């Protein structure tokens, strides 16, 4: 007969194997189902391409301190923290890539550190058409590619060749926020969508008011601003359904816009895509 200590050891071994299998299953489920149409995005660049790199705005600023995506003054605040970029037409995609995250790095100038910097698309650069891809970085982001203490030398270099890779956005646990456009009213509703983790970009948004029980498709107005001209009064609370462009994953922020909502106010949801895949 096996001793009690042997039985405990076997049971502990089975428990450990079961736990490992469960953890592996959860990991695979979280990561693989998040991107049903594409390879998983990592928070670390894995597939690098070449692009042109410049900077604009003030040396330590956030580019245009706003930009064509509609994020406004949020670009200079956490979690964007001025690490943002305008992008050429090929990657801007008429604003559909607003919010997407990339790592950029430079290696061919003596002041380049070679270390990647993660930036968020917050603006367009319609004149940046000389290369297949072009990053017109904020002064802060451009300087962050430099060896410490040589930021200005790098900014003085002119057009650089940079390397870039699409990566997952990571906003350190922040949930998705909806900034209500100033022009919104009971019959017309528009929002800027902020801080989508993971893919960062959006393919579509739907809105449901408190009485209809039906999802209505919102239209991309410009950049990260989406609108619904309902032609009738919308009764709060309003729920918003988001579909990621990169993966196609859907997320619902239920009753995120409360009764008594105000134009210009920001309402934070309880949800986000929360990608944490390091592949």
């Amino acid at each position: 007969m096996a001793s009690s200590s042997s039985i405990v050891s076997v049971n502990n071994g089975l428990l450990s194997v079961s736990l490992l299998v469960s953890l592996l299953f959860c990991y695979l489920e979280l990561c693989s189902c998040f991107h049903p149409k594409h390879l998983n995005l990592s928070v670390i660049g894995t597939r690098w391409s070449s692009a042109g790199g410049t900077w604009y705005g003030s040396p330590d600023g956030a580019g245009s301190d706003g930009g064509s995506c509609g994020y406004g003054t949020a670009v200079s605040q956490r979690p964007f923290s001025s690490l943002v970029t305008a992008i050429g037409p090929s990657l801007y995609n008429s604003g559909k890539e607003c919010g997407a995250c990339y790592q950029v790095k430079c290696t061919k100038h003596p002041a380049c550190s070679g270390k990647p910097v993660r930036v968020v698309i917050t603006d367009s650069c319609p004149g940046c058409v000389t290369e297949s891809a072009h990053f017109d970085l904020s002064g802060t982001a451009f300087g962050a590619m430099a060896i410490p203490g040589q930021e200005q030398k790098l900014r003085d270099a002119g057009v650089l060749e940079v390397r870039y890779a699409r990566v997952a956005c990571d906003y350190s646990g922040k949930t998705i926020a909806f900034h209500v456009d100033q022009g919104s009213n009971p019959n017309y509703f528009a929002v800027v969508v902020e801080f989508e983790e993971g893919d960062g970009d959006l393919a579509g948004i739907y809105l449901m008011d408190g009485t209809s029980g039906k999802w209505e498709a919102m239209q991309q107005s410009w950049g990260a601003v989406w609108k619904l001209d309902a032609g009738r009064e919308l009764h709060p609370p309003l729920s918003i359904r988001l579909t990621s462009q990169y993966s196609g994953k859907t997320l619902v922020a239920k009753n995120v816009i409360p009764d008594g909502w105000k134009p210009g106010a920001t309402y934070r949801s309880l949800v986000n895509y929360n990608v944490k895949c390091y592949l």
Side-chain angles (χ1 to χ4, degrees), residues 227-270:
K227 65 179 181 179
L228 174 63
D229 193 352
R232 60 176 177 81
E233 186 173 348
L234 295 167
H235 298 280
L238 308 179
S239 298
I240 298 177
R241 189 176 77 193
L242 312 169
T243 300
S244 166
Q245 179 160 268
Y246 187 87
S247 69
K249 184 176 181 182
T250 295
L251 200 62
V252 175
K254 187 176 181 180
N255 299 334
V256 67
I257 309 298
D259 191 20
W261 61 267
K262 303 292 185 184
T266 298
Y267 300 94
R268 190 167 297 282
S269 73
L270 299 176

Side-chain angles (χ1 to χ4, degrees), residues 49-53 87-93 102 125 128-135 162 164:
S49 303
S50 295
I87 205 79
S90 64
L91 293 180
Y92 185 68
N93 194 18
Y102 285 84
C125 182
C128 297
V129 295
T130 55
E131 304 94 351
S132 58
H134 190 99
F135 288 77
V162 299
Y164 72 96

Side-chain angles (χ1 to χ4, degrees), residues 53-55 142 153-160:
T54 49
W55 66 279
F142 199 89
K153 287 183 179 180
L154 192 63
R155 294 190 194 102
D156 291 340
V159 180
L160 291 177

Side-chain angles (χ1 to χ4, degrees), residues 157-188:
V159 180
L160 291 177
E161 180 183 335
V162 299
R163 301 282 287 169
Y164 72 96
R166 178 75 186 270
V167 295
C169 297
D170 184 357
Y171 292 116
S172 301
K174 272 188 174 290
T175 53
I176 292 174
F178 300 91
H179 180 76
V180 181
D181 186 79
Q182 286 286 358
S184 296
N185 59 59
N187 302 290
Y188 170 86

